[in-house]
Amino acid sequence: MANLHPHNHDHCIRTAIQRAQTVCEQQGVRLTPVRRRVLELVWQNHKPTGAYELLPQLAADGFNSAPPTVYRALDFLLEIGLIHRISSLNAFIGCDHPGGQHPTGFFICTDCGNAAELPAARLQAFSAELEQVMGVQVASSSYELTGLCGVCRLKP
Amino acid sequence: MANLHPHNHDHCIRTAIQRAQTVCEQQGVRLTPVRRRVLELVWQNHKPTGAYELLPQLAADGFNSAPPTVYRALDFLLEIGLIHRISSLNAFIGCDHPGGQHPTGFFICTDCGNAAELPAARLQAFSAELEQVMGVQVASSSYELTGLCGVCRLKP
DNA sequence: GAGAATTAGGTTATAATGTTGCAATTCTAC
DNA sequence: GTAGAATTGCAACATTATAACCTAATTCTC
Ligand SMILES: [Zn+2]
Ligand SMILES: [Zn+2]
Ligand SMILES: [Zn+2]
Ligand SMILES: [Zn+2]
């Protein structure tokens, strides 16, 4: 929602990094320079970013830049819930409200490319509803929507 | 649901092929031998199937077997809604109720590997709810759940 | 039916995405 | 400081998907 409208994005980045540091301290894991830089790069905008897009950017910053480096950093960030993977795009995006594991859910605008996280509470409720109806036990879920965001709907 | 329990699966396959023929006639497109065989192979069980798994099976049947052949057939079947793509698995699975375009939604059991399509009406309702709440216009959606199915929950 | 237009398939090569295995280094805890 | 764990560097490789270009089959138009 907010992510789909113009805003001070530097604030998004700063907040994301700060939260990441907090989360890492709480969980007793290390936000090393590569991991931190990968997180910043994923947060450079609200568009899902491919792993291979990060390689040259990391290289430009003097970091090692080979697929395993990037994937290890991404796996780490996924593991502790700082980013999500958008599997329909083979891409990654920063999590808006890290701190606890929660279902992956995004709306992605096909016009501007921005993505916004879906309200976790509703996802949770829907997942619970389906568990009931289908008699299954859900362990993880991912909901990916595409279409036009509020801004792009009103463009010429 | 039914797909997750033992059943006469030959019936599933026959039904799927019959429906496919109907859909293709209605839409004025051709269910060629390769396309038909790929559909049968996708329906050989209720587990999502990777494109490259199909190659040797097609070859065994005397069909041409190169990636473009399989991907073209899969693209065709996706296009007219006879199969779905499970992007978290890079795999494909037959559609339970083809005939109209509808959102992709599956529950995949992490123990037995079987997948069952989610109730389309509920997916539709949830998508509409999110459109309202977020002020966006949804064009396509995909919901992928994993966990334990009713059968596997009760195993030792 | 002949010829043009469209659609489908064959073939080769290559792009894009993601992983494995192992050695070298850095960090942590005692 | 030293042992063990975690992290990184590096090279090769595996998997998934597409591009480009051409031939064959089918349908359309006359
Ligand atoms: Zn922002
Ligand atoms: Zn999130
Ligand atoms: Zn069946
Ligand atoms: Zn379906």
Side-chain angles (χ1 to χ4, degrees), chain A residues 17-150:
Chain A
I17 299 294
Q18 280 171 13
R19 284 182 179 163
Q21 281 170 339
T22 306
V23 168
C24 287
E25 281 169 22
Q26 282 170 353
Q27 303 202 13
V29 295
R30 284 192 286 153
L31 189 64
T32 62
V34 203
R35 291 168 174 176
R36 185 193 160 112
R37 186 63 186 133
V38 166
L39 183 60
E40 284 172 2
L41 290 171
V42 165
W43 268 102
Q44 66 195 310
N45 55 39
H46 291 281
K47 305 182 204 305
T49 307
Y52 277 70
E53 285 177 56
L54 300 173
L55 262 53
Q57 307 193 67
L58 276 181
D61 296 340
F63 285 95
N64 176 48
S65 155
T69 301
V70 166
Y71 279 103
R72 284 196 281 234
L74 290 170
D75 286 345
F76 169 84
L77 296 169
L78 282 170
E79 188 80 23
I80 58 178
L82 292 172
I83 63 174
H84 294 280
R85 185 181 141 91
I86 311 283
S87 52
S88 60
L89 298 175
N90 294 330
F92 302 84
I93 188 163
C95 175
D96 271 350
H97 40 74
Q101 241 58 359
H102 57 270
T104 295
F106 282 88
F107 173 84
I108 304 131
C109 179
T110 48
D111 195 61
C112 66
N114 286 322
E117 200 153 356
L118 303 177
R122 289 182 196 258
L123 278 176
Q124 191 54 52
F126 187 47
S127 169
E129 179 186 332
L130 290 173
E131 277 189 319
Q132 284 292 323
V133 173
M134 304 187 66
V136 300
Q137 187 178 332
V138 172
S140 76
S141 74
S142 168
Y143 196 26
E144 300 176 13
L145 303 174
T146 70
L148 288 180
C149 74

Side-chain angles (χ1 to χ4, degrees), chain B residues 7 9 12 46:
Chain B
H7 63 284
H9 185 62
C12 294
H46 292 282

Side-chain angles (χ1 to χ4, degrees), chain B residues 84 95-97 102 106 117:
Chain B
H84 294 280
C95 176
D96 271 349
H97 40 74
H102 58 269
F106 282 87
E117 199 153 358

